[in-house]
Structures are given as C-alpha cells and as structure tokens.
Amino acid sequence: MESDASATPRALATEAVHAGREDLAGLGLHAVPIDLSTTYPSYDSRREAARIDEFAVTGARPDGPPVYARLDNPTTARFETALARLEGTGSAVAFASGMAALTAVLLARASQGLRHVVAVRPLYGCSDHLLTAGLLGTEVTWTDPAGVADAIRPGTGLVMVETPANPTLAEIDIRALAHSCGSVPLLVDSTFATPVLQRPAEHGARIVLHSATKYLGGHGDVMAGVVACDEEFARTLRRIRFATGGVLHPLAGYLLLRGLSTLSVRMKAAAAGAADLAGRLAADPRVARVHYPKLGGAMVAFEVHGDPHQVIAGVRLITPAVSLGSVDSLIQHPASISHRIVAEEDRRSVGVSEQLLRLSVGLEDVDDLWRDLDGALSNHSVRSARKGVHAEDASGRVSPQAVR
Ligand code: PLP
C-alpha cells in the first residue's frame, strides 16, 4: 500500500499508533477490522477481468476489494502502510515469514536476469544458507563491506547485509556501503534495529527487510516478514507474492499492527535493560567478551570462558529458545541453533564461535534478569571449574568501557 507522502511528517511514536488507521474514525470504528475473506464477490465479470489484468501487468494494489486474498488483504495492507511510514519508504509488502520476504526479493531480481548477489557475513543462518546453497538459482559472492564495490559485476542484482548482524551484532555504515553499491540496490536486514533505532532508507538502502516475527510483532506469537521499498519494486514483489503464494494471514497482519503500536516503548525499555546487562556481563570474570551495538538495541551477545551449553541449561527466568524480539527474554547458542546450518569455517570466520551466546532482552526487571544470568553463569563456571577452567580467572575480562 502506498503511504501518504503529502501528510505533514509526524514523529515515529505517533505514526506507530496512527499510520494505517487514519480512516477508522470515519468508518465509526476504533479497533482495526480483521477481514478474513479469501474471496470477494462480483456480479460484473468483465470489470473483474480488467482488475485482474491490471494487477497482473502492474502489481499495483487493486482499487476496491481484492478479488482474491492472494492479491491483497485490507487488514494486512494497513500494516504495510504503517511499516512504510515508519521506515520512510513509499511502500511495504508483507509476507508469511522473513524468509518468504527474502525469497521474493531474490526472485524479483533473478526474474530480471540479475542472479548474482554480493553479501556480507554474518547473516541470519537461514539467509546465509539460502544464498550459499543457491536454492533459488542465485549465486553469491561473500565479502566484507570494503570489498563490496569490487565484488559487484554485470549481473549483480543485489547487495545484502544485516546491521546489527545476527548473531555477533557487528555494525555496518549503511551510508558508506550504499555509496559503494552504485546503482545496485542495497538490501539491509534491519530486524535487530527496527525503525525505532535505524531507518536504512534514509541512508541510501533501497530495500529494508524485517523478520516481523521478531520486534515488529513483539510477543512471540506471529510469524511474518516485510520488505519496505519504493512503490516500483513493491509492485514486482506483489506480483511475485501473488504467483508464489507467500502471503501473510490477516490475523497476523492485525497482530503486527497492534505490535507496531507499542514498538517504540518496547524497544526503548528493552534496550535500557540490554545496555545494563551488557555492562554487568562485561564486568564479570566468567565472561570473556561482550558484544553490544553502538546503535543500542535489545540484543546482547557474549562469549563465556567455559561451556556455553551449561549456561543455556542453567537459566530459569530467561527462556532457552531460538528467535528474539519478544516481551520476554530468550537465550540461545548460535553455533548449535540459529547458525547451525552455516558451515563451521564460515561461522568461525566472522566470530560465531562455540563460546558465543545470544541474548534477546525482554521487558522483565533487569535485576531479576541479572540474578538469572548470574545463576546460569555460576552453573557454567562450577562445571567448567571441574573441567579445569577457573571461574575466578579474570584474564579475559572486558571492562564495561570496552563493551561494544
Ligand atoms: N533475518 C533475521 C535477522 C533473522 O533473525 C531471521 C530469523 O531469525 C530472519 C531474517 C528470518 O525470519 P523468519 O524466521 O521470520 O522467516
């Protein structure tokens, strides 16, 4: 859905609760209506045929009812409008998952004969796998941000990065990278930042991708993906979504819109807790290294001296589970779970070590979270002491100032 470019710009917190809902009062409604229709009646088949032709050729959202739910859905379209407004792009297109969103982007470029992708590690494990395995007929060149310009060649359709990256939280200067990309579109997976902390399109990224399963939904109960981009690319994505079927269910669209309403306050509160915990972890002798983005955010990664599996086994309040961005805190071991599918040497080359743990900080009281982590780290240090690693060994200690 196109956003209203003529409107006076409003602050993100305001857009988060109003964008995509401006017509509700006029409809006599307060809550967003959920349209569960899979099909839409029409007694005028000629007109319907013209509407189908129009969509097939242009990919523009149909005027009036959608014909069939795979073309469009009014509830999901409200979420798309709101997300585009938050990201500062002309449009956004929602999908059934983050991976469905990335798939549609890759297919869109490949359908234009642009099958080569330049990408920077680390990426989320399955995104890495999709590119490395060439499952969609694409070919990838892995490089670092400095090597992007040289890696681009005729047939390059996309440059892809994550910043902050999953799981190491490494950060990339989006503006500098966009410059290196020249005319090749830069895709930034901004899942970890959300538009509250970073709006990649303002820095030259042409495509912004979110696993909306994470912070946008925010409660661990919606699986979704979304691509924020200009309307021209959105039209291609809608045609691909229609043909390949990776649509978002309208209930999910509703929940995402509701999630957006509190995105700003959730991110700020969770990020305050994460910064606090990053400092405490950095000052702890049982922890070898802490990664926390300069940008801020609610993710913390840390390397322990001993057995990270014992930390996972030791948490009681924090949930040991993959995924992130929920109101409750989650911890996982990337080398075993989120990045398992990436070859070991590729993981290691970008710092996804066996010692690394990834913590998604939620909205719990930070002292309660610390007590849980402290207990889990003691669990870990007791067992690693038995293996000959001293819990009190502070040689790898990182001062809070060195937290990054
Ligand atoms: N991008 C990032 C940064 C992720 O962390 C994930 C999933 O963890 C994805 C994309 C894929 O999203 P989904 O699980 O919604 O398909």
Side-chain angles (χ1 to χ4, degrees):
M1 192 185 217
E2 279 180 74
S3 57
D4 180 3
S6 64
T8 316
R10 294 184 296 193
L12 185 129
T14 309
E15 293 287 19
V17 292
H18 287 288
R21 295 89 146 178
E22 285 95 342
D23 60 331
L24 290 183
L27 294 171
L29 297 172
H30 185 227
V32 168
I34 306 173
D35 180 345
L36 293 172
S37 300
T38 53
T39 190
Y40 295 83
S42 167
Y43 290 97
D44 185 346
S45 317
R46 285 196 189 83
R47 195 162 162 267
E48 202 78 332
R51 280 152 53 75
I52 292 169
D53 285 351
E54 164 81 6
F55 179 82
V57 172
T58 67
R61 290 196 59 225
D63 286 332
V67 180
Y68 188 57
R70 209 162 3 84
L71 269 78
D72 197 35
N73 172 272
T75 309
T76 299
R78 290 179 183 278
F79 163 66
E80 293 171 331
T81 300
L83 198 270
R85 203 80 66 71
L86 297 186
E87 285 292 357
T89 56
S91 297
V93 185
F95 293 88
S97 68
M99 292 314 300
L102 177 57
T103 295
V105 171
L106 294 173
L107 290 177
R109 300 306 282 159
S111 71
Q112 290 154 355
L114 302 167
R115 297 181 173 279
H116 180 239
V117 178
V118 175
V120 175
R121 282 195 169 109
L123 297 179
Y124 163 58
C126 203
S127 304
D128 185 314
H129 173 66
L130 183 62
L131 294 174
T132 304
L135 290 175
L136 299 173
T138 57
E139 185 198 340
V140 64
T141 300
W142 295 104
T143 184
D144 57 15
V148 164
D150 285 344
I152 289 173
R153 64 186 200 213
T156 303
L158 193 70
V159 175
M160 175 169 182
V161 300
E162 265 175 31
T163 181
N166 185 355
T168 60
L169 306 174
E171 291 171 275
I172 291 174
D173 178 340
I174 298 173
R175 190 175 294 282
L177 186 62
H179 184 72
S180 308
C181 294
S183 62
V184 178
L186 169 62
L187 181 156
V188 173
D189 183 329
S190 196
T191 298
F192 278 29
T194 82
V196 175
L197 298 177
Q198 160 179 290
R199 288 156 51 104
E202 286 177 355
H203 304 290
R206 299 253 297 280
I207 302 167
V208 183
L209 187 139
H210 289 275
S211 167
T213 314
K214 311 301 185 312
Y215 292 104
L216 304 187
H219 296 73
D221 54 6
V222 188
M223 175 148 276
V226 63
V227 179
C229 56
D230 61 26
E231 172 59 13
E232 188 189 342
F233 192 59
R235 289 180 176 204
T236 308
L237 292 178
R238 283 189 209 106
R239 288 168 59 214
I240 287 174
R241 184 177 63 178
F242 171 60
T244 57
V247 291
L248 186 69
H249 193 277
L251 277 176
Y254 173 86
L255 287 170
L256 286 171
L257 204 52
R258 181 144 116 172
L260 287 188
S261 307
T262 55
L263 179 65
S264 193
V265 284
R266 280 189 287 109
M267 275 311 282
K268 285 176 192 157
D276 187 327
L277 290 176
R280 296 193 205 198
L281 286 166
D284 195 297
R286 298 165 293 184
V287 173
R289 194 163 176 216
V290 178
H291 307 261
Y292 184 67
K294 290 197 196 72
L295 187 73
M299 299 298 297
V300 182
F302 59 100
E303 290 158 57
V304 290
H305 284 299
D307 182 358
H309 301 284
Q310 292 303 333
V311 180
I312 298 285
V315 289
R316 294 292 172 265
L317 176 66
I318 300 166
T319 303
V322 72
S323 200
L324 58 118
S326 184
V327 287
D328 58 318
S329 298
L330 307 176
I331 192 165
Q332 63 108 22
H333 181 239
S336 300
I337 316 275
S338 63
H339 290 69
R340 187 71 188 166
I341 202 160
V342 179
E344 192 179 344
E345 61 271 26
D346 294 334
R347 287 201 301 261
R348 282 181 188 278
S349 70
V350 286
V352 186
S353 73
E354 289 296 319
Q355 304 308 115
L356 187 76
L357 291 163
R358 191 193 74 187
L359 174 66
S360 168
V361 179
L363 299 178
E364 300 94 335
D365 179 86
V366 75
D367 289 329
D368 286 337
L369 287 175
W370 176 248
R371 253 192 302 280
D372 196 37
L373 272 179
D374 187 32
L377 284 165
S378 299
N379 188 39
H380 136 267
S381 56
V382 167
R383 299 195 189 226
S384 48
R386 277 194 208 124
K387 284 189 201 159
V389 177
H390 298 294
E392 291 75 28
D393 180 359
S395 59
R397 185 169 172 161
V398 180
S399 71
Q401 292 77 9
V403 171
R404 57 171 203 90

